[in-house]
Amino acid sequence: MAQKIIVTGGAGYIGTHTTVELQKAGFDVVVFDNFINSDPSSLDGVQRITGTKPELERVDCADDVAIADAFAKHSDAVGVIHFAALKAVGESVEKPLMYYQNNIRGLMNVLDNMNKHGIANIVFSSSATVYGVPDVLPVTEETPLKPATSPYGQTKVMGENIISDAVRANPNMRATLLRYFNPVGAHPSAEIGELPLGTPNNLLPYLTQTAAGIREVLSVFGDDYDTPDGFCVRDYIDINDLASAHVAALKHMLGGANGVNIFNLGTGRGVSVMELIKTFQDATGVKLNYKIAARRPGDVPAIWADATLANKVLGWRANVPLADTLRNAWKWQVKVCEKNN
Ligand code: NAD
Ligand code: UDP
């Protein structure tokens, strides 16, 4: 019998791609999602890729009663991948309590129910945001964490600490904390991808929407940073590579790895905003309307990952070339536009 994995937030951007990889690896996936930032139709996209629609529980992880019922139904699961969270940094500053309620209470409920049913393994979506503005680049898992600069970032730091304490108190439990750098792209089939609601905050969806004519112009935030070309530098990781790391992390725990393991998930390469724009134009042949604008307050000038630990321990590495990732993102954007017309 296939091993069952609960994927909270499984209808979202990273959740759908990870569900595909889990199903391909032979796991039985049940998605827990309340669709606060996604649509149930994303799971149809998963089915068109793998031939299998994941089982779905429409449930809010922060609803104590509903989540307990969902876990009781799936107490035979061997692990949980916990994606469910709100993720807009600016919104979290305006509505901090909503973020703590959703992200922290949701996580606590998940951990409580895992303990109750003896589900031992959790993978948690953390973020490079926990490193703040790092003193040394690239950042390893040993790089000191900086105080969070937003309630969203705080929920990631707190989430890591809560899970670590829970594992310390229960030797049967194991956790993997995955610190994502900048996830971008879509499945090569263009059946699933990123679907931001409203105006995107992140670079790539803003860029592809501008290329598609939905937005007039992409503002490049700052050209006077102390970086090789003056533009901000990030580590853009292909969403399919990121998804496969979750399967590797899960197998590592199911294979007996104990305690709390922490991994950076990035390519190990820093790319500037202008480099990304140029690569997009070259890869797709589409000309992008962009302008240089003021720095965005709070932006980290440069950050990229040292991802050698994930390679050494999980046997995972990012493989997809950036040009392919950007072509996939564009293919997805074109398909979304066709659907909406
Ligand atoms: P997303 O918004 O596309 O997916 C999150 C999913 O969780 C959505 O389907 C949403 O409906 C669901 N959800 C939210 N709160 C819920 C709740 N209380 N109960 C049930 N379902 C709930 O976001 P994503 O980009 O796929 O991010 C997944 C995780 O990765 C999040 O924890 C996010 O903070 C983290 N992360 C994302 C990025 C990124 O750039 N995308 C970077 C670092 C970390
Ligand atoms: N960025 C930009 N214009 C935009 C959105 C983002 O120039 O419309 C830049 C931003 O300054 C940062 C990079 O793109 O250097 C990635 O930003 P994003 O919000 O996608 O991710 P972050 O790393 O800030 O979480």
Side-chain angles (χ1 to χ4, degrees):
M1 259 249 310
Q3 290 176 304
K4 184 189 278 188
I5 308 297
I6 293 169
V7 180
T8 76
Y13 176 42
I14 308 176
T16 44
H17 291 81
T18 301
T19 295
V20 165
E21 295 304 319
L22 286 167
Q23 289 182 333
K24 272 167 47 186
F27 289 102
D28 187 7
V29 176
V30 54
V31 167
F32 288 8
D33 206 301
N34 66 350
F35 303 109
I36 193 169
N37 197 38
S38 57
D39 189 273
S41 63
S42 66
L43 300 178
D44 299 333
V46 171
Q47 182 175 20
R48 286 192 292 274
I49 297 168
T50 63
T52 308
K53 191 159 180 177
E55 197 177 341
L56 169 67
E57 299 293 340
R58 187 186 279 261
V59 63
D60 179 351
C61 296
D63 178 332
D64 307 8
V65 175
I67 193 76
D69 287 349
F71 265 96
K73 246 177 102 177
H74 298 284
S75 59
D76 55 333
V78 298
V80 175
I81 303 186
H82 185 54
F83 291 112
L86 295 170
K87 61 168 185 177
V89 175
E91 185 186 53
S92 81
V93 175
E94 283 156 31
K95 299 176 182 168
L97 298 185
M98 184 169 106
Y99 271 67
Y100 290 122
Q101 167 72 13
N102 194 77
N103 296 5
I104 299 299
R105 189 173 194 140
L107 171 63
M108 306 265 290
N109 283 344
V110 165
L111 292 169
D112 255 353
N113 283 285
M114 288 177 69
N115 276 336
K116 191 159 136 200
H117 296 291
I119 303 172
N121 307 290
I122 182 166
V123 179
F124 178 65
S125 299
S126 189
S127 165
T129 190
V130 299
Y131 297 116
V133 180
D135 299 322
V136 180
L137 288 166
V139 293
T140 72
E141 293 78 359
E142 303 296 316
T143 297
L145 305 193
K146 294 278 174 71
T149 54
S150 71
Y152 168 72
Q154 188 72 309
T155 67
K156 293 302 173 193
V157 175
M158 288 169 74
E160 288 198 359
N161 289 333
I162 290 168
I163 292 171
S164 302
D165 287 345
V167 171
R168 253 190 298 277
N170 177 358
N172 294 324
M173 200 169 175
R174 308 178 191 113
T176 307
L177 313 178
L178 298 178
R179 294 178 180 157
Y180 311 153
F181 281 66
N182 289 58
V184 287
H187 193 268
S189 65
E191 294 292 356
I192 53 176
E194 193 170 9
L195 260 186
L197 297 177
T199 310
N201 295 308
N202 293 113
L203 176 61
L204 203 64
Y206 205 105
L207 184 158
T208 56
Q209 288 193 7
T210 307
I214 300 168
R215 315 270 156 214
E216 200 187 324
V217 58
L218 170 73
S219 293
V220 174
F221 298 141
D223 65 348
D224 56 352
Y225 283 100
D226 185 15
T227 58
D229 63 5
F231 298 98
C232 276
V233 172
R234 294 288 184 276
D235 187 335
Y236 296 96
I237 167 138
D238 185 89
I239 187 69
N240 304 288
D241 279 336
L242 188 80
S244 69
H246 292 74
V247 179
L250 207 55
K251 285 185 174 167
H252 181 237
M253 288 192 292
L254 292 172
N258 282 322
V260 179
N261 283 274
I262 305 179
F263 301 106
N264 285 341
L265 295 182
T267 65
R269 192 165 83 88
V271 170
S272 81
V273 176
M274 196 49 68
E275 241 180 298
L276 188 103
I277 290 173
K278 294 258 157 68
T279 310
F280 175 83
Q281 295 189 139
D282 290 347
T284 61
V286 177
K287 188 130 181 39
L288 187 75
N289 190 24
Y290 65 85
K291 65 169 190 208
I292 308 299
R295 290 184 180 196
R296 182 172 67 176
D299 266 345
V300 173
I303 185 165
W304 67 95
D306 178 333
T308 47
L309 189 66
N311 185 237
K312 227 167 41 198
V313 178
L314 302 178
W316 171 90
R317 76 164 74 237
N319 285 317
V320 183
L322 183 59
D324 290 1
T325 301
L326 298 177
R327 259 191 298 272
N328 290 338
W330 178 236
K331 198 168 146 191
W332 166 249
Q333 180 67 64
V334 169
K335 188 163 170 193
V336 170
C337 289
E338 282 168 2
K339 241 196 228 155
N340 292 343
N341 282 336

